[in-house]
Amino acid sequence: MAAPRTTPVRKVLDRLSLPERTYVADALRTETVGGVLLLVAAVAALVWANVPGLHDSYETVGHYHLGPEALGLNLSIEHWAADGLLAVFFFVAGIELKRELVAGDLRDPRAAVLPVVAALCGMAVPALVYTLTSLSGGGSTAGWAVPTATDIAFALAVLAVIGTSLPSALRAFLLTLAVVDDLCAILIIAVFFTDTLNFAALGGAAAGLAVFWLLLRKGVRGWYVYVPLAVVVWALMYNSGVHATIAGVAMGLMLRCTTRADEEHSPGERIEHLVRPLSAGLAVPLFALFSAGVAISGGALADVFTRPETLGIVLGLIVGKTIGIFGGTWLTVRFTRASLSDDLAWADVFAVATLAGIGFTVSLLIGELAFEGDPALTDEVKAAVLTGSLIAAILATVLLKLRNAEYRRLWEAEERDEDLDGIPDVYEQDDPEYHLRMAAIHDGKAAEHRRIAAEKAAARHGRTEVAGGAGEEGDRPA
């Protein structure tokens, strides 16, 4: 009788494919540098806003207006940073999302289930934690969306600072979580923070997006065509009443992210490679500089843990994110009959879920939108975001450090390239040519060791004869 067929158990959070690993490494390298700049900008904002001699200048610069009034764009510097610079950030997020959908992990429904469910649970649970906390204390539910977003750049900056060698599969999981987070944040901003609509401006923005799409399909090239068009679309979107960052996402989603036969990289990947440093290195840090500057004092920090709205944000980021992402991951593995990668433990998933509680850029943006009419509460919400993110970073640091020796072992295995062909050895185990190259390398090493052994043996034999001769001569009197 034929042996019964057995279906192999699907592994989740297993080693990435080589192309995916290369893409993730390139993307995270830029985000890590941007995350460090983000940390510097946040600290600079706090210093600028809290040093007595500098506080007034921070307010003056942030509230300084510029731009054409006739076009409805006479905005404060703070406003330009939130609505203008973050459009670049969301443009990159749109490209990332498109690539994930057509060429990345989200393309395969079976592989997409885990990060999507984990991300959705990681947004729903913090929103629920905030709502329950705020309602129980008689506070406002307007800020329910504030603790729902993960800041990938800030999280990677923490990883860079603490020096952990997190495996690429966990880094990719964190990146995919952030991409789904960004998509949901975009939908939240578009649906829940659009009060009034200017249909003429909205129609103009839609027409501009249609022209953008047609030019891309016709293969028209040149930044001097697309950049002015993008600015026009952004301005129309801003005046329509829809948050202007939606324009950036829409244009990012229109780029083609699949390669053709004559292409090494798709247009989306090439443009993302060019724009990502601008987003991570300039746009997001400048937004942080003009958004993170809140007055910090003992009383203000105490208020964060006593006011229901701010306490809800802190608990949402720390408790809600961790439980949501870890629980979503566990449920997905449990009900899809998959199993965790042999290289990882559930403690690793828990640590990454805690790290995802760092919600900075998008959380600050949603906080400003949710409490726009209350400047005092807006500042307290910002303080809560900073506090919750800091606590999440500290907890994640402790948890990740406990497993850092294991992470280093996995990282070294992923990076080892003994045949020096530019491809890590773990990706060549099924290639006969790799094993032939390794055999030749080991044969060469064996021959070299035999030669050294022969030389050492000959040298030792010579020393023995000399020593023996000296003994015979030693019988004579001196």
Side-chain angles (χ1 to χ4, degrees), residues 83-373:
D83 284 45
L85 291 177
L86 280 194
V88 179
F89 166 80
F90 278 107
F91 174 70
V92 174
I95 300 176
E96 285 179 338
L97 177 62
K98 178 69 173 289
R99 186 201 164 277
E100 288 290 334
L101 289 170
V102 301
D105 287 345
L106 301 183
R107 175 185 55 180
D108 180 2
R110 292 185 306 168
V113 168
L114 176 66
V116 169
V117 172
L120 292 177
C121 291
M123 299 188 80
V125 177
L128 180 62
V129 169
Y130 172 90
T131 303
L132 293 176
T133 304
S134 189
L135 286 177
S136 63
S140 169
T141 59
W144 63 270
V146 175
T148 59
T150 294
D151 194 303
I152 184 65
F154 215 138
L156 291 173
V158 171
L159 292 179
V161 169
I162 66 177
T164 185
S165 305
L166 202 65
S168 58
L170 285 178
R171 290 177 183 264
F173 179 56
L174 188 61
L175 178 62
T176 309
L177 281 176
V179 170
V180 178
D181 260 7
D182 289 340
L183 170 64
C184 294
I186 291 157
L187 295 175
I188 288 170
I189 291 170
V191 174
F192 295 99
F193 297 104
T194 299
D195 296 328
T196 57
L197 287 176
N198 181 330
F199 287 100
L202 186 60
L209 289 172
V211 172
F212 188 87
W213 183 83
L214 286 172
L215 291 174
L216 289 173
R217 292 299 170 270
K218 295 293 183 182
V220 176
R221 295 191 175 187
W223 65 268
Y224 46 83
V225 174
Y226 291 102
V227 171
L229 178 59
V231 172
V232 170
V233 171
W234 173 86
L236 288 168
M237 189 70 75
Y238 174 81
N239 282 287
S240 72
V242 177
H243 200 269
T245 53
I246 304 300
V249 178
M251 287 184 278
L253 287 170
M254 289 181 182
L255 292 172
R256 178 168 59 84
C257 292
T258 53
T259 54
R260 293 174 178 168
D262 58 340
E263 294 177 332
E264 184 177 357
H265 300 287
S266 67
E269 288 176 315
R270 291 198 303 271
I271 293 172
E272 181 188 7
H273 182 72
L274 292 172
V275 180
R276 186 187 286 276
L278 176 64
S279 168
L282 182 66
V284 175
L286 281 178
F287 167 75
L289 182 64
F290 291 106
S291 293
V294 294
I296 301 295
S297 65
L301 291 176
D303 289 343
V304 165
F305 295 96
T306 55
R307 182 158 187 154
E309 294 91 345
T310 51
L311 180 60
I313 291 170
V314 172
L315 293 178
L317 290 171
I318 300 169
V319 179
K321 272 289 183 184
T322 303
I323 293 176
I325 293 173
F326 181 82
T329 304
W330 186 86
L331 288 172
T332 303
V333 171
R334 173 71 178 80
F335 289 103
T336 59
R337 303 195 176 206
S339 68
L340 196 63
S341 169
D342 295 335
D343 293 331
L344 300 175
W346 282 108
D348 303 319
V349 180
F350 189 85
V352 169
T354 306
L355 185 67
I358 300 174
F360 190 75
T361 306
V362 178
S363 292
L364 290 176
L365 175 63
I366 294 177
E368 291 180 355
L369 296 173
F371 300 103
E372 193 171 7

